[in-house]
Amino acid sequence: MEYINNATNETISSASGAVNKILCCECGVPIEPNASNMCVPCLRSHVDITENIPKQAVIFFCRNCERYLNPPNEWVQCSLESKELLSLCLKRLQGLRQVKLVDAGFVWTEPHSKRIKVKLTVHGEVMSDVVLQQVFVVEFTVNNQMCDDCHRTEAKDFWRCMVQVRQKAVNRKTLFYLEQMILKHKAHENTLGIKPNTGGLDFFYATDAHARKMVDFLQAVLPIKVTNSKKLISHDIHSNSYNYKYSYAIDIVPVSKGSLVCLSKRLKQQLGHIASICLVTKVANSIHLIDPQTAQMAEVHNMAFWKTPFEAICNPKQMVEFVVMDVEIIRESERKTFPGQGPVSQRHTLADVWVVKASELGINDNTIHIKSHLGNLLKPGDSVLGYDLREANINNADFEKLSAEIVPDVLLIKKSYDKTVRKQTRNWKLKHLNEDVAVDTDIENEYNEFLEDLEEDPELRQNVNIFKDKSKQIPVDTNDMDDPSVPRITLEEMLDDLVLEDEEMGDV
């Protein structure tokens, strides 16, 4: 301890220039003159400038989120021996305002000791303009206390906001694609819980900001319609504060990849005079359509769809298997074009195809002639899936307005492969939001169709994390492995799945 004399005392100097000394009034030790006329040890015994400052204090720490409590109810993120933690510790010392803080720093302690020591240097004025400097250590005890956010998370039944995702469609391919998009971009990190429901998923959140972030993500990846509502839970008339529960209802477009749709006359004109009956090739941030007879493409954006909505007139479950009898490619010079026509797909090739229904092969030789966009994939003898519009039961107002000459008899959708062999040779897998959900036969079949779409469409699987399945044993002698036309996913497109295994150490 030291004292600093700020008084302007005049000292009498001798001829040699030495300062005259006086005796301490307590112990009689010679000292330089000061306002208290006392030496440092005697002044220390009479005055303690840190008596109102506690030498021990308590701070609270949440082990789940690793945050410290900043009273009264704020939880802040601080690392050990950081300036944020030092500021938090100094705020806990009540009597620190009565002195002047000169220096503060941490004294090293074991990280697991639950103790934080801070060394302080303070100045205090005592006995008429005598400034005393003192150094002392304050020990903070770190107590564990769960914050409110972690309490709500651990409760699992508590939620303040809910996002309900629904799709009124027969096929669930769009929901499977949405699940993989959420996993890839980690959009579900702030959810308290995810509950599968009929026709979609329910996401629960603690704050409205996290729910809005999820809604913004859904609007960026899929064409949706959002309807929000709130319910009053409690109201404090004294502080004029309200407690609401918010709900967001998300409606996804009721079509999926492989669905056949019928466009209205107004929407057809807006899309470059595309045909009325189109095939959905992809549902992403917009609906991608193609005319199977001309390979003309079009995109229906979110706002355009909800202004003139349309539904699927045929779903992938209604596909019928056909056998290709002959294929004749149509040259570009033979294609019919018209002014104002939309873009034509370069990935597909138009061709005249003669097919026979697989169930009537050998019984009835009625060959059906159609134009198809799958000319680059089909050859005589292949199996192909398509819609037989002659026998389909379609209840749609726009479809009933079409003349019979415009409606084709059959539309081919995709080439068919042996599903059993493809499933056995599939050496990759996908992750899910909830692994414990029971899957019935219909959902499993639709999920396998979604996996086949990933194998057939390289653009679709760019937005999906595909992992190697090390537990899958691939048979060597398969007939389908020799066919180069079977779509497969290469090893370069697969990711290594992180698996944590505990291996028991044997005795050496």
Side-chain angles (χ1 to χ4, degrees):
M1 180 183 294
E2 303 174 356
Y3 66 86
I4 302 173
N5 189 4
N6 290 338
T8 58
N9 296 330
E10 296 182 357
T11 59
I12 302 175
S13 302
S14 61
S16 60
V19 179
N20 293 329
K21 295 186 177 182
I22 64 174
L23 298 179
C24 176
C25 65
E26 290 287 334
C27 61
V29 175
I31 59 173
E32 294 182 0
N34 59 72
S36 62
N37 295 327
M38 297 175 62
C39 63
V40 174
C42 295
L43 190 61
R44 182 191 303 143
S45 62
H46 283 77
V47 179
D48 184 12
I49 63 176
T50 65
E51 60 181 355
N52 294 328
I53 303 176
K55 304 304 184 294
Q56 291 182 345
V58 178
I59 60 175
F60 297 97
F61 175 74
C62 180
R63 292 183 296 180
N64 293 343
C65 60
E66 298 183 353
R67 294 187 298 175
Y68 292 89
L69 174 63
N70 185 17
N73 54 7
E74 181 184 4
W75 292 84
V76 294
Q77 192 84 24
C78 302
S79 58
L80 293 177
E81 298 189 1
S82 63
K83 61 180 182 179
E84 292 83 5
L85 183 58
L86 181 61
S87 175
L88 184 65
C89 294
L90 295 179
K91 290 180 181 178
R92 302 291 294 171
L93 302 179
Q94 300 295 332
L96 200 60
R97 296 181 179 179
Q98 302 176 4
V99 295
K100 181 180 179 180
L101 180 64
V102 178
D103 188 22
F106 288 99
V107 179
W108 187 86
T109 56
E110 290 287 345
H112 61 274
S113 63
K114 297 296 182 180
R115 297 292 187 274
I116 297 176
K117 294 183 178 181
V118 180
K119 183 179 180 181
L120 303 175
T121 303
V122 296
H123 285 177
E125 184 178 351
V126 294
M127 294 184 183
S128 64
D129 295 337
V130 176
V131 178
L132 199 63
Q133 176 175 307
Q134 189 169 347
V135 181
F136 63 102
V137 176
V138 180
E139 181 178 329
F140 294 88
T141 303
V142 181
N143 288 350
N144 295 325
Q145 178 178 333
M146 187 176 292
C147 64
D148 296 337
D149 296 337
C150 294
H151 262 299
R152 294 166 183 168
T153 305
E154 291 296 328
K156 300 201 180 288
D157 293 332
F158 176 85
W159 58 273
R160 195 177 297 275
C161 301
M162 179 174 60
V163 179
Q164 297 177 325
V165 182
R166 296 290 184 272
Q167 185 187 26
K168 300 176 182 178
V170 179
N171 194 279
R172 299 176 178 87
K173 289 183 181 180
T174 307
L175 292 176
F176 294 144
Y177 173 74
L178 176 61
E179 179 187 27
Q180 298 305 317
M181 290 290 291
I182 293 175
L183 290 171
K184 182 178 179 63
H185 297 279
K186 298 180 180 179
H188 63 296
E189 286 185 337
N190 298 320
T191 56
L192 299 178
I194 301 175
K195 181 181 178 181
N197 208 321
T198 304
L201 296 170
D202 292 340
F203 298 88
F204 300 94
Y205 295 91
T207 61
D208 186 35
H210 292 159
R212 287 181 178 272
K213 186 177 180 181
M214 184 64 177
V215 173
D216 294 340
F217 172 79
L218 295 175
Q219 287 179 332
V221 298
L222 286 177
I224 61 173
K225 182 175 65 175
V226 183
T227 305
N228 58 343
S229 63
K230 61 182 180 180
K231 179 182 179 182
L232 180 63
I233 304 301
S234 61
H235 170 46
D236 187 0
I237 60 175
H238 300 287
S239 61
N240 199 24
S241 60
Y242 297 84
N243 183 19
Y244 289 101
K245 275 193 174 183
Y246 300 88
S247 298
Y248 295 89
I250 309 296
D251 290 331
I252 305 177
V253 290
V255 294
S256 59
K257 183 177 180 179
S259 300
L260 201 65
V261 297
C262 184
L263 307 179
S264 62
K265 184 177 180 180
R266 179 182 177 184
L267 183 59
K268 182 179 67 172
Q269 294 175 352
Q270 295 176 357
L271 300 178
H273 295 275
I274 196 172
S276 300
I277 301 177
C278 296
L279 174 67
V280 179
T281 58
K282 184 171 65 173
V283 179
N285 52 2
S286 60
I287 304 174
H288 296 252
L289 303 176
I290 188 172
D291 181 8
Q293 299 185 96
T294 61
Q296 181 180 347
M297 299 185 304
E299 289 188 21
V300 181
H301 297 281
N302 190 16
M303 295 296 294
F305 175 82
W306 296 111
K307 284 183 179 179
T308 55
F310 51 85
E311 296 180 354
I313 59 175
C314 291
N315 292 291
K317 290 185 177 181
Q318 301 174 256
M319 289 186 183
V320 181
E321 185 178 358
F322 296 89
V323 178
V324 179
M325 306 304 295
D326 193 9
V327 178
E328 183 178 342
I329 303 297
I330 301 177
R331 299 177 182 179
E332 295 185 2
S333 59
E334 300 176 358
R335 297 182 182 179
K336 296 181 180 180
T337 59
F338 54 87
Q341 185 180 12
V344 179
S345 175
Q346 302 298 325
R347 295 176 49 193
H348 302 86
T349 304
L350 281 180
D352 289 320
V353 184
W354 288 264
V355 296
V356 175
K357 188 177 293 188
S359 60
E360 300 177 357
L361 186 62
I363 302 175
N364 191 353
D365 294 335
N366 293 334
T367 305
I368 306 172
H369 170 253
I370 52 176
K371 288 185 178 181
S372 176
H373 64 298
L374 303 177
N376 57 331
L377 299 177
L378 301 180
K379 60 181 183 296
D382 289 342
S383 296
V384 61
L385 297 177
Y387 294 114
D388 191 353
L389 300 182
R390 301 170 301 176
E391 301 178 358
N393 185 11
I394 300 174
N395 185 12
N396 185 274
D398 294 327
F399 182 80
E400 293 176 356
K401 297 178 183 179
L402 301 178
S403 61
E405 299 177 356
I406 301 177
V407 179
D409 294 336
V410 174
L411 286 178
L412 302 182
I413 306 303
K414 66 176 183 178
K415 186 177 178 180
S416 177
Y417 302 94
D418 191 349
K419 293 186 177 182
T420 305
V421 176
R422 292 183 67 176
K423 188 175 181 180
Q424 292 176 354
T425 57
R426 188 173 294 137
N427 58 343
W428 54 274
K429 62 180 180 179
L430 301 177
K431 290 188 176 181
H432 301 281
L433 292 174
N434 194 345
E435 301 285 350
D436 300 331
V437 178
V439 180
D440 57 10
T441 306
D442 293 338
I443 298 179
E444 185 178 0
N445 294 334
E446 294 176 359
Y447 181 69
N448 289 329
E449 293 179 2
F450 173 69
L451 298 182
E452 294 175 0
D453 292 340
L454 290 178
E455 294 175 341
E456 297 170 3
D457 192 351
E459 294 183 359
L460 181 62
R461 60 175 179 261
Q462 288 180 357
N463 300 324
V464 177
N465 286 336
I466 300 174
F467 298 90
K468 297 178 182 177
D469 190 358
K470 298 181 180 179
S471 62
K472 200 66 173 294
Q473 299 293 333
I474 302 176
V476 179
D477 51 347
T478 57
N479 298 326
D480 204 19
M481 290 291 289
D482 299 331
D483 188 2
S485 64
V486 177
R488 299 185 185 89
I489 298 179
T490 60
L491 292 176
E492 289 78 6
E493 300 177 83
M494 302 181 192
L495 302 175
D496 290 326
D497 192 9
L498 178 61
V499 179
L500 300 179
E501 297 180 355
D502 295 333
E503 296 183 358
E504 297 182 357
M505 300 298 293
D507 298 335
V508 180

